[in-house]
Amino acid sequence: LGLACAIVCSPKLVIFDEPTSALDPAGRAEVLDLVAGMRGSATAIFSSHILSDVQRIADHIGILRNGRMIYQGPTQQLIDEHLKPRWLVRLGDDRTREVARTLLQQSWVTSVERSGDRVLRVDADTLESGERGIPAVLAACRSRLVSCEPVAADLESAFLALTQQDER
């Protein structure tokens, strides 16, 4: 009810303080969709310790530590700057060497290592280049994909990397 009252008049600024706390998964999804739907028509300040929720809806973030702003800017930039984008790629065929060789020829790939039978660990220069490039390379090699899982490429991992760096 409070949320409805806050947005019924189409305000230019809405401040949310832990709006998804104590909600079940369906309720959390509805609130996050509602907040994300405000993009372009209002500024939403969204305070939450559930960083996966923040990553899902925020295009810009600010991180406070001891009353001091230690980061303010695009969400994706924080992830790109503080994490080494990495994926575990599981193949459904024996083209591991060919895929690894082709990946290493890409300018955006920083490292490729075997990480088990038909599994490659792929490091990229940016999250976006890996997300776009890995499927393209697999398609070009005509390799079957079982899974492509990002390794710690989320806001929570970037937050931890930033705050641990700030302690030093």
Side-chain angles (χ1 to χ4, degrees), residues 54-108:
V54 175
Q55 183 175 358
R56 179 175 165 189
I57 64 165
D59 48 13
H60 282 74
I61 61 170
I63 297 176
L64 294 170
R65 182 184 184 125
N66 298 325
R68 188 172 63 97
M69 184 76 71
I70 61 172
Y71 178 83
Q72 181 177 358
T75 306
Q76 193 60 54
Q77 181 179 329
L78 174 68
I79 293 169
D80 287 344
E81 288 179 359
H82 289 88
L83 290 180
K84 183 178 198 176
R86 175 176 288 163
W87 293 263
L88 285 180
V89 179
R90 298 180 198 284
L91 304 176
D93 51 36
D94 288 326
R95 297 178 190 239
T96 308
R97 283 188 187 154
E98 177 187 350
V99 171
R101 203 170 30 252
T102 305
L103 282 165
L104 285 168
Q105 294 171 354
Q106 309 304 308
S107 62
W108 51 268

Tab-separated table of all heavy atoms in Angstrom, residues 54-108:
chain	number	residue	atom	x	y	z
A	54	VAL	N	19.751	-5.402	-6.749
A	54	VAL	CA	20.277	-4.128	-7.230
A	54	VAL	C	20.815	-4.302	-8.654
A	54	VAL	O	20.514	-3.495	-9.536
A	54	VAL	CB	21.384	-3.597	-6.291
A	54	VAL	CG1	22.023	-2.341	-6.863
A	54	VAL	CG2	20.830	-3.340	-4.892
A	55	GLN	N	21.575	-5.362	-8.881
A	55	GLN	CA	22.138	-5.591	-10.213
A	55	GLN	C	21.038	-5.766	-11.254
A	55	GLN	O	21.172	-5.336	-12.388
A	55	GLN	CB	23.042	-6.825	-10.204
A	55	GLN	CG	23.713	-7.079	-11.537
A	55	GLN	CD	24.708	-8.224	-11.491
A	55	GLN	OE1	24.938	-8.831	-10.451
A	55	GLN	NE2	25.301	-8.517	-12.622
A	56	ARG	N	19.945	-6.374	-10.852
A	56	ARG	CA	18.846	-6.637	-11.791
A	56	ARG	C	18.181	-5.357	-12.283
A	56	ARG	O	17.748	-5.283	-13.431
A	56	ARG	CB	17.820	-7.537	-11.102
A	56	ARG	CG	16.626	-7.873	-11.943
A	56	ARG	CD	15.736	-8.853	-11.254
A	56	ARG	NE	14.442	-8.889	-11.901
A	56	ARG	CZ	13.405	-9.527	-11.432
A	56	ARG	NH1	13.495	-10.221	-10.334
A	56	ARG	NH2	12.258	-9.491	-12.067
A	57	ILE	N	18.128	-4.325	-11.438
A	57	ILE	CA	17.349	-3.140	-11.819
A	57	ILE	C	18.139	-1.847	-11.950
A	57	ILE	O	17.670	-0.914	-12.593
A	57	ILE	CB	16.187	-2.895	-10.828
A	57	ILE	CG1	16.715	-2.567	-9.441
A	57	ILE	CG2	15.234	-4.054	-10.820
A	57	ILE	CD1	15.668	-1.980	-8.531
A	58	ALA	N	19.339	-1.775	-11.383
A	58	ALA	CA	20.048	-0.490	-11.344
A	58	ALA	C	21.019	-0.332	-12.501
A	58	ALA	O	21.834	-1.206	-12.756
A	58	ALA	CB	20.809	-0.356	-10.026
A	59	ASP	N	20.926	0.793	-13.200
A	59	ASP	CA	21.913	1.068	-14.232
A	59	ASP	C	23.073	1.910	-13.681
A	59	ASP	O	24.164	1.884	-14.218
A	59	ASP	CB	21.296	1.717	-15.468
A	59	ASP	CG	20.393	2.882	-15.163
A	59	ASP	OD1	20.403	3.386	-14.029
A	59	ASP	OD2	19.665	3.313	-16.070
A	60	HIS	N	22.848	2.637	-12.592
A	60	HIS	CA	23.888	3.392	-11.891
A	60	HIS	C	23.768	3.081	-10.401
A	60	HIS	O	22.650	2.958	-9.886
A	60	HIS	CB	23.732	4.903	-12.094
A	60	HIS	CG	24.227	5.352	-13.414
A	60	HIS	ND1	23.557	5.118	-14.592
A	60	HIS	CD2	25.355	6.022	-13.751
A	60	HIS	CE1	24.233	5.626	-15.590
A	60	HIS	NE2	25.337	6.182	-15.112
A	61	ILE	N	24.920	2.985	-9.732
A	61	ILE	CA	24.899	2.706	-8.300
A	61	ILE	C	25.881	3.602	-7.569
A	61	ILE	O	26.813	4.151	-8.167
A	61	ILE	CB	25.217	1.230	-7.974
A	61	ILE	CG1	26.617	0.859	-8.459
A	61	ILE	CG2	24.180	0.298	-8.555
A	61	ILE	CD1	27.080	-0.497	-7.958
A	62	GLY	N	25.655	3.733	-6.287
A	62	GLY	CA	26.594	4.399	-5.387
A	62	GLY	C	26.832	3.471	-4.221
A	62	GLY	O	25.893	2.853	-3.713
A	63	ILE	N	28.076	3.348	-3.808
A	63	ILE	CA	28.408	2.488	-2.671
A	63	ILE	C	29.015	3.366	-1.586
A	63	ILE	O	30.008	4.066	-1.811
A	63	ILE	CB	29.386	1.372	-3.084
A	63	ILE	CG1	28.716	0.461	-4.119
A	63	ILE	CG2	29.838	0.573	-1.864
A	63	ILE	CD1	29.610	-0.624	-4.673
A	64	LEU	N	28.385	3.312	-0.430
A	64	LEU	CA	28.846	4.062	0.736
A	64	LEU	C	29.585	3.126	1.684
A	64	LEU	O	29.181	1.975	1.872
A	64	LEU	CB	27.669	4.673	1.492
A	64	LEU	CG	26.881	5.757	0.789
A	64	LEU	CD1	25.618	6.083	1.577
A	64	LEU	CD2	27.732	7.002	0.621
A	65	ARG	N	30.651	3.646	2.277
A	65	ARG	CA	31.367	2.901	3.308
A	65	ARG	C	31.775	3.892	4.384
A	65	ARG	O	32.474	4.864	4.101
A	65	ARG	CB	32.585	2.208	2.731
A	65	ARG	CG	33.300	1.398	3.775
A	65	ARG	CD	34.568	0.793	3.215
A	65	ARG	NE	35.114	-0.030	4.238
A	65	ARG	CZ	35.403	-1.293	4.073
A	65	ARG	NH1	35.218	-1.872	2.923
A	65	ARG	NH2	35.898	-1.984	5.062
A	66	ASN	N	31.298	3.648	5.592
A	66	ASN	CA	31.585	4.546	6.714
A	66	ASN	C	31.232	5.994	6.392
A	66	ASN	O	31.990	6.915	6.688
A	66	ASN	CB	33.057	4.443	7.137
A	66	ASN	CG	33.415	3.064	7.624
A	66	ASN	OD1	32.599	2.385	8.253
A	66	ASN	ND2	34.625	2.620	7.323
A	67	GLY	N	30.094	6.190	5.715
A	67	GLY	CA	29.625	7.519	5.384
A	67	GLY	C	30.350	8.186	4.227
A	67	GLY	O	30.129	9.365	3.959
A	68	ARG	N	31.199	7.450	3.543
A	68	ARG	CA	31.974	8.004	2.434
A	68	ARG	C	31.637	7.250	1.154
A	68	ARG	O	31.564	6.028	1.144
A	68	ARG	CB	33.457	7.842	2.763
A	68	ARG	CG	34.398	8.512	1.818
A	68	ARG	CD	35.844	8.448	2.336
A	68	ARG	NE	36.335	7.085	2.431
A	68	ARG	CZ	37.079	6.488	1.514
A	68	ARG	NH1	37.432	7.155	0.428
A	68	ARG	NH2	37.493	5.257	1.661
A	69	MET	N	31.436	8.003	0.071
A	69	MET	CA	31.138	7.394	-1.224
A	69	MET	C	32.436	6.823	-1.791
A	69	MET	O	33.378	7.565	-2.051
A	69	MET	CB	30.557	8.438	-2.180
A	69	MET	CG	30.123	7.886	-3.512
A	69	MET	SD	28.576	6.972	-3.482
A	69	MET	CE	27.391	8.274	-3.233
A	70	ILE	N	32.470	5.489	-1.971
A	70	ILE	CA	33.680	4.880	-2.524
A	70	ILE	C	33.509	4.500	-3.991
A	70	ILE	O	34.482	4.208	-4.670
A	70	ILE	CB	34.151	3.662	-1.697
A	70	ILE	CG1	33.101	2.559	-1.658
A	70	ILE	CG2	34.565	4.103	-0.305
A	70	ILE	CD1	33.586	1.267	-1.017
A	71	TYR	N	32.288	4.501	-4.472
A	71	TYR	CA	32.047	4.291	-5.904
A	71	TYR	C	30.713	4.917	-6.260
A	71	TYR	O	29.734	4.780	-5.531
A	71	TYR	CB	32.010	2.806	-6.279
A	71	TYR	CG	31.706	2.620	-7.752
A	71	TYR	CD1	32.710	2.702	-8.697
A	71	TYR	CD2	30.407	2.424	-8.207
A	71	TYR	CE1	32.441	2.584	-10.055
A	71	TYR	CE2	30.122	2.305	-9.560
A	71	TYR	CZ	31.138	2.382	-10.475
A	71	TYR	OH	30.869	2.268	-11.807
A	72	GLN	N	30.694	5.603	-7.393
A	72	GLN	CA	29.450	6.096	-7.965
A	72	GLN	C	29.603	6.039	-9.474
A	72	GLN	O	30.568	6.580	-10.028
A	72	GLN	CB	29.161	7.525	-7.527
A	72	GLN	CG	27.863	8.052	-8.080
A	72	GLN	CD	27.563	9.453	-7.578
A	72	GLN	OE1	28.284	10.033	-6.794
A	72	GLN	NE2	26.474	10.002	-8.060
A	73	GLY	N	28.686	5.336	-10.129
A	73	GLY	CA	28.759	5.235	-11.573
A	73	GLY	C	27.932	4.082	-12.095
A	73	GLY	O	27.135	3.483	-11.369
A	74	PRO	N	28.146	3.738	-13.363
A	74	PRO	CA	27.381	2.654	-13.975
A	74	PRO	C	27.645	1.316	-13.285
A	74	PRO	O	28.783	0.982	-12.954
A	74	PRO	CB	27.874	2.627	-15.417
A	74	PRO	CG	28.440	3.989	-15.650
A	74	PRO	CD	29.004	4.424	-14.329
A	75	THR	N	26.593	0.554	-13.081
A	75	THR	CA	26.698	-0.758	-12.440
A	75	THR	C	27.661	-1.652	-13.208
A	75	THR	O	28.551	-2.278	-12.626
A	75	THR	CB	25.309	-1.419	-12.362
A	75	THR	OG1	24.401	-0.517	-11.726
A	75	THR	CG2	25.359	-2.719	-11.589
A	76	GLN	N	27.497	-1.713	-14.522
A	76	GLN	CA	28.333	-2.594	-15.329
A	76	GLN	C	29.794	-2.169	-15.285
A	76	GLN	O	30.687	-3.009	-15.310
A	76	GLN	CB	27.831	-2.636	-16.775
A	76	GLN	CG	28.445	-3.752	-17.574
A	76	GLN	CD	28.153	-5.117	-16.983
A	76	GLN	OE1	27.003	-5.473	-16.751
A	76	GLN	NE2	29.188	-5.879	-16.716
A	77	GLN	N	30.062	-0.885	-15.193
A	77	GLN	CA	31.444	-0.403	-15.121
A	77	GLN	C	32.119	-0.902	-13.845
A	77	GLN	O	33.283	-1.290	-13.871
A	77	GLN	CB	31.469	1.116	-15.180
A	77	GLN	CG	32.870	1.703	-15.138
A	77	GLN	CD	32.849	3.215	-15.228
A	77	GLN	OE1	31.974	3.803	-15.849
A	77	GLN	NE2	33.815	3.845	-14.604
A	78	LEU	N	31.397	-0.900	-12.729
A	78	LEU	CA	31.952	-1.418	-11.477
A	78	LEU	C	32.328	-2.885	-11.634
A	78	LEU	O	33.417	-3.304	-11.241
A	78	LEU	CB	30.954	-1.259	-10.327
A	78	LEU	CG	31.383	-1.892	-9.001
A	78	LEU	CD1	32.565	-1.150	-8.404
A	78	LEU	CD2	30.229	-1.937	-8.030
A	79	ILE	N	31.455	-3.654	-12.242
A	79	ILE	CA	31.723	-5.082	-12.447
A	79	ILE	C	32.926	-5.251	-13.369
A	79	ILE	O	33.844	-6.024	-13.069
A	79	ILE	CB	30.468	-5.784	-12.999
A	79	ILE	CG1	29.370	-5.790	-11.935
A	79	ILE	CG2	30.792	-7.210	-13.448
A	79	ILE	CD1	28.008	-6.216	-12.438
A	80	ASP	N	32.952	-4.514	-14.470
A	80	ASP	CA	34.054	-4.629	-15.426
A	80	ASP	C	35.393	-4.212	-14.819
A	80	ASP	O	36.425	-4.816	-15.105
A	80	ASP	CB	33.787	-3.794	-16.679
A	80	ASP	CG	32.723	-4.397	-17.575
A	80	ASP	OD1	32.394	-5.593	-17.404
A	80	ASP	OD2	32.216	-3.669	-18.452
A	81	GLU	N	35.390	-3.176	-13.978
A	81	GLU	CA	36.644	-2.661	-13.429
A	81	GLU	C	37.191	-3.496	-12.279
A	81	GLU	O	38.390	-3.501	-12.046
A	81	GLU	CB	36.464	-1.220	-12.954
A	81	GLU	CG	36.338	-0.234	-14.086
A	81	GLU	CD	36.124	1.198	-13.608
A	81	GLU	OE1	36.058	1.435	-12.377
A	81	GLU	OE2	36.011	2.076	-14.472
A	82	HIS	N	36.324	-4.171	-11.551
A	82	HIS	CA	36.782	-4.853	-10.337
A	82	HIS	C	36.759	-6.370	-10.414
A	82	HIS	O	37.137	-7.041	-9.466
A	82	HIS	CB	35.987	-4.358	-9.129
A	82	HIS	CG	36.352	-2.953	-8.774
A	82	HIS	ND1	35.731	-1.872	-9.334
A	82	HIS	CD2	37.316	-2.464	-7.973
A	82	HIS	CE1	36.275	-0.773	-8.865
A	82	HIS	NE2	37.239	-1.101	-8.045
A	83	LEU	N	36.336	-6.889	-11.532
A	83	LEU	CA	36.321	-8.340	-11.690
A	83	LEU	C	36.993	-8.730	-12.985
A	83	LEU	O	36.926	-8.012	-13.975
A	83	LEU	CB	34.887	-8.879	-11.711
A	83	LEU	CG	34.130	-8.810	-10.404
A	83	LEU	CD1	32.742	-9.383	-10.602
A	83	LEU	CD2	34.837	-9.554	-9.298
A	84	LYS	N	37.602	-9.860	-12.960
A	84	LYS	CA	38.154	-10.434	-14.174
A	84	LYS	C	37.038	-11.298	-14.751
A	84	LYS	O	36.679	-12.323	-14.162
A	84	LYS	CB	39.370	-11.287	-13.818
A	84	LYS	CG	40.084	-11.872	-14.980
A	84	LYS	CD	41.292	-12.647	-14.476
A	84	LYS	CE	42.262	-12.873	-15.594
A	84	LYS	NZ	43.479	-13.524	-15.106
A	85	PRO	N	36.458	-10.889	-15.869
A	85	PRO	CA	35.354	-11.668	-16.448
A	85	PRO	C	35.835	-13.070	-16.830
A	85	PRO	O	36.809	-13.226	-17.564
A	85	PRO	CB	34.942	-10.866	-17.674
A	85	PRO	CG	35.463	-9.488	-17.428
A	85	PRO	CD	36.720	-9.676	-16.641
A	86	ARG	N	35.153	-14.077	-16.289
A	86	ARG	CA	35.566	-15.464	-16.486
A	86	ARG	C	34.339	-16.354	-16.603
A	86	ARG	O	33.340	-16.147	-15.918
A	86	ARG	CB	36.419	-15.889	-15.295
A	86	ARG	CG	36.827	-17.335	-15.283
A	86	ARG	CD	37.738	-17.631	-14.132
A	86	ARG	NE	39.040	-17.024	-14.427
A	86	ARG	CZ	39.973	-16.801	-13.504
A	86	ARG	NH1	39.753	-17.113	-12.252
A	86	ARG	NH2	41.119	-16.261	-13.849
A	87	TRP	N	34.451	-17.353	-17.491
A	87	TRP	CA	33.366	-18.312	-17.686
A	87	TRP	C	33.923	-19.729	-17.678
A	87	TRP	O	35.052	-19.967	-18.098
A	87	TRP	CB	32.688	-18.107	-19.045
A	87	TRP	CG	31.953	-16.827	-19.147
A	87	TRP	CD1	30.622	-16.627	-18.956
A	87	TRP	CD2	32.492	-15.552	-19.472
A	87	TRP	NE1	30.319	-15.306	-19.140
A	87	TRP	CE2	31.451	-14.621	-19.455
A	87	TRP	CE3	33.781	-15.100	-19.775
A	87	TRP	CZ2	31.632	-13.274	-19.723
A	87	TRP	CZ3	33.975	-13.758	-20.035
A	87	TRP	CH2	32.903	-12.863	-20.012
A	88	LEU	N	33.093	-20.666	-17.231
A	88	LEU	CA	33.358	-22.089	-17.426
A	88	LEU	C	32.452	-22.537	-18.558
A	88	LEU	O	31.231	-22.434	-18.459
A	88	LEU	CB	33.067	-22.897	-16.162
A	88	LEU	CG	34.096	-22.771	-15.046
A	88	LEU	CD1	33.680	-23.616	-13.853
A	88	LEU	CD2	35.483	-23.166	-15.518
A	89	VAL	N	33.071	-23.007	-19.633
A	89	VAL	CA	32.338	-23.405	-20.832
A	89	VAL	C	32.420	-24.926	-20.942
A	89	VAL	O	33.508	-25.489	-21.071
A	89	VAL	CB	32.938	-22.750	-22.096
A	89	VAL	CG1	32.185	-23.190	-23.344
A	89	VAL	CG2	32.925	-21.233	-21.957
A	90	ARG	N	31.263	-25.588	-20.855
A	90	ARG	CA	31.192	-27.054	-20.976
A	90	ARG	C	30.670	-27.397	-22.365
A	90	ARG	O	29.593	-26.953	-22.757
A	90	ARG	CB	30.265	-27.633	-19.924
A	90	ARG	CG	30.725	-27.382	-18.525
A	90	ARG	CD	29.775	-27.971	-17.470
A	90	ARG	NE	30.001	-27.385	-16.186
A	90	ARG	CZ	31.032	-27.670	-15.390
A	90	ARG	NH1	31.914	-28.538	-15.774
A	90	ARG	NH2	31.163	-27.079	-14.227
A	91	LEU	N	31.465	-28.192	-23.071
A	91	LEU	CA	31.123	-28.563	-24.435
A	91	LEU	C	30.489	-29.952	-24.483
A	91	LEU	O	30.798	-30.805	-23.661
A	91	LEU	CB	32.372	-28.533	-25.321
A	91	LEU	CG	33.122	-27.199	-25.341
A	91	LEU	CD1	34.385	-27.329	-26.164
A	91	LEU	CD2	32.236	-26.103	-25.867
A	92	GLY	N	29.649	-30.154	-25.473
A	92	GLY	CA	28.983	-31.432	-25.650
A	92	GLY	C	29.638	-32.301	-26.699
A	92	GLY	O	29.057	-33.285	-27.142
A	93	ASP	N	30.849	-31.931	-27.110
A	93	ASP	CA	31.549	-32.709	-28.123
A	93	ASP	C	33.053	-32.623	-27.866
A	93	ASP	O	33.502	-31.988	-26.920
A	93	ASP	CB	31.199	-32.223	-29.528
A	93	ASP	CG	31.365	-30.724	-29.700
A	93	ASP	OD1	32.304	-30.148	-29.117
A	93	ASP	OD2	30.545	-30.118	-30.405
A	94	ASP	N	33.835	-33.265	-28.722
A	94	ASP	CA	35.292	-33.319	-28.549
A	94	ASP	C	36.030	-32.208	-29.286
A	94	ASP	O	37.162	-32.399	-29.715
A	94	ASP	CB	35.818	-34.683	-29.027
A	94	ASP	CG	35.434	-35.800	-28.084
A	94	ASP	OD1	35.379	-35.542	-26.868
A	94	ASP	OD2	35.180	-36.921	-28.560
A	95	ARG	N	35.455	-31.042	-29.434
A	95	ARG	CA	36.101	-29.939	-30.158
A	95	ARG	C	36.805	-28.971	-29.210
A	95	ARG	O	37.037	-27.814	-29.556
A	95	ARG	CB	35.070	-29.196	-30.994
A	95	ARG	CG	34.459	-30.071	-32.068
A	95	ARG	CD	33.411	-29.292	-32.831
A	95	ARG	NE	32.675	-30.206	-33.679
A	95	ARG	CZ	32.606	-30.091	-34.989
A	95	ARG	NH1	33.192	-29.097	-35.592
A	95	ARG	NH2	31.928	-30.962	-35.688
A	96	THR	N	37.166	-29.445	-28.025
A	96	THR	CA	37.760	-28.580	-27.011
A	96	THR	C	39.020	-27.882	-27.526
A	96	THR	O	39.173	-26.673	-27.343
A	96	THR	CB	38.081	-29.392	-25.740
A	96	THR	OG1	36.914	-30.105	-25.354
A	96	THR	CG2	38.497	-28.481	-24.598
A	97	ARG	N	39.917	-28.608	-28.178
A	97	ARG	CA	41.163	-27.996	-28.671
A	97	ARG	C	40.873	-26.946	-29.735
A	97	ARG	O	41.454	-25.868	-29.729
A	97	ARG	CB	42.089	-29.071	-29.236
A	97	ARG	CG	42.781	-29.852	-28.170
A	97	ARG	CD	43.832	-30.758	-28.748
A	97	ARG	NE	44.339	-31.597	-27.679
A	97	ARG	CZ	44.869	-32.769	-27.861
A	97	ARG	NH1	44.993	-33.264	-29.074
A	97	ARG	NH2	45.305	-33.465	-26.840
A	98	GLU	N	39.988	-27.279	-30.660
A	98	GLU	CA	39.649	-26.332	-31.733
A	98	GLU	C	39.017	-25.068	-31.152
A	98	GLU	O	39.369	-23.953	-31.546
A	98	GLU	CB	38.685	-26.991	-32.722
A	98	GLU	CG	38.230	-26.065	-33.827
A	98	GLU	CD	37.143	-26.674	-34.701
A	98	GLU	OE1	36.848	-27.871	-34.589
A	98	GLU	OE2	36.575	-25.905	-35.501
A	99	VAL	N	38.095	-25.231	-30.219
A	99	VAL	CA	37.438	-24.076	-29.592
A	99	VAL	C	38.466	-23.239	-28.833
A	99	VAL	O	38.495	-22.006	-28.952
A	99	VAL	CB	36.281	-24.525	-28.668
A	99	VAL	CG1	35.758	-23.363	-27.849
A	99	VAL	CG2	35.157	-25.154	-29.490
A	100	ALA	N	39.352	-23.901	-28.071
A	100	ALA	CA	40.376	-23.176	-27.312
A	100	ALA	C	41.290	-22.398	-28.255
A	100	ALA	O	41.599	-21.218	-28.008
A	100	ALA	CB	41.185	-24.147	-26.460
A	101	ARG	N	41.717	-23.025	-29.341
A	101	ARG	CA	42.591	-22.378	-30.313
A	101	ARG	C	41.902	-21.156	-30.935
A	101	ARG	O	42.485	-20.080	-31.055
A	101	ARG	CB	42.974	-23.394	-31.394
A	101	ARG	CG	44.230	-23.098	-32.133
A	101	ARG	CD	44.735	-24.222	-33.043
A	101	ARG	NE	43.723	-25.101	-33.622
A	101	ARG	CZ	43.516	-26.377	-33.243
A	101	ARG	NH1	44.249	-26.909	-32.280
A	101	ARG	NH2	42.583	-27.100	-33.823
A	102	THR	N	40.632	-21.308	-31.285
A	102	THR	CA	39.883	-20.204	-31.892
A	102	THR	C	39.656	-19.081	-30.887
A	102	THR	O	39.766	-17.897	-31.229
A	102	THR	CB	38.546	-20.705	-32.465
A	102	THR	OG1	38.806	-21.785	-33.366
A	102	THR	CG2	37.796	-19.609	-33.191
A	103	LEU	N	39.357	-19.436	-29.651
A	103	LEU	CA	39.177	-18.415	-28.618
A	103	LEU	C	40.457	-17.605	-28.437
A	103	LEU	O	40.419	-16.377	-28.332
A	103	LEU	CB	38.763	-19.052	-27.289
A	103	LEU	CG	37.299	-19.464	-27.166
A	103	LEU	CD1	37.093	-20.393	-25.987
A	103	LEU	CD2	36.401	-18.235	-27.034
A	104	LEU	N	41.596	-18.277	-28.396
A	104	LEU	CA	42.870	-17.577	-28.185
A	104	LEU	C	43.214	-16.621	-29.322
A	104	LEU	O	44.028	-15.711	-29.141
A	104	LEU	CB	43.996	-18.589	-27.972
A	104	LEU	CG	43.994	-19.244	-26.587
A	104	LEU	CD1	44.951	-20.426	-26.555
A	104	LEU	CD2	44.332	-18.221	-25.508
A	105	GLN	N	42.603	-16.794	-30.476
A	105	GLN	CA	42.830	-15.888	-31.604
A	105	GLN	C	42.002	-14.611	-31.495
A	105	GLN	O	42.212	-13.673	-32.264
A	105	GLN	CB	42.501	-16.606	-32.921
A	105	GLN	CG	43.434	-17.756	-33.228
A	105	GLN	CD	42.956	-18.597	-34.412
A	105	GLN	OE1	41.869	-18.394	-34.935
A	105	GLN	NE2	43.783	-19.550	-34.815
A	106	GLN	N	41.065	-14.562	-30.550
A	106	GLN	CA	40.196	-13.397	-30.397
A	106	GLN	C	40.903	-12.320	-29.575
A	106	GLN	O	41.511	-12.622	-28.544
A	106	GLN	CB	38.879	-13.783	-29.706
A	106	GLN	CG	38.167	-14.972	-30.320
A	106	GLN	CD	37.876	-14.779	-31.789
A	106	GLN	OE1	37.303	-13.782	-32.193
A	106	GLN	NE2	38.276	-15.764	-32.599
A	107	SER	N	40.803	-11.077	-29.995
A	107	SER	CA	41.485	-9.977	-29.301
A	107	SER	C	40.958	-9.757	-27.885
A	107	SER	O	41.693	-9.262	-27.028
A	107	SER	CB	41.356	-8.687	-30.115
A	107	SER	OG	39.985	-8.324	-30.230
A	108	TRP	N	39.726	-10.129	-27.625
A	108	TRP	CA	39.116	-9.888	-26.318
A	108	TRP	C	39.414	-10.995	-25.307
A	108	TRP	O	39.153	-10.840	-24.117
A	108	TRP	CB	37.606	-9.691	-26.461
A	108	TRP	CG	36.930	-10.772	-27.247
A	108	TRP	CD1	36.693	-10.780	-28.590
A	108	TRP	CD2	36.428	-12.016	-26.759
A	108	TRP	NE1	36.074	-11.947	-28.964
A	108	TRP	CE2	35.890	-12.726	-27.855
A	108	TRP	CE3	36.362	-12.599	-25.506
A	108	TRP	CZ2	35.307	-13.975	-27.738
A	108	TRP	CZ3	35.785	-13.849	-25.371
A	108	TRP	CH2	35.268	-14.528	-26.482
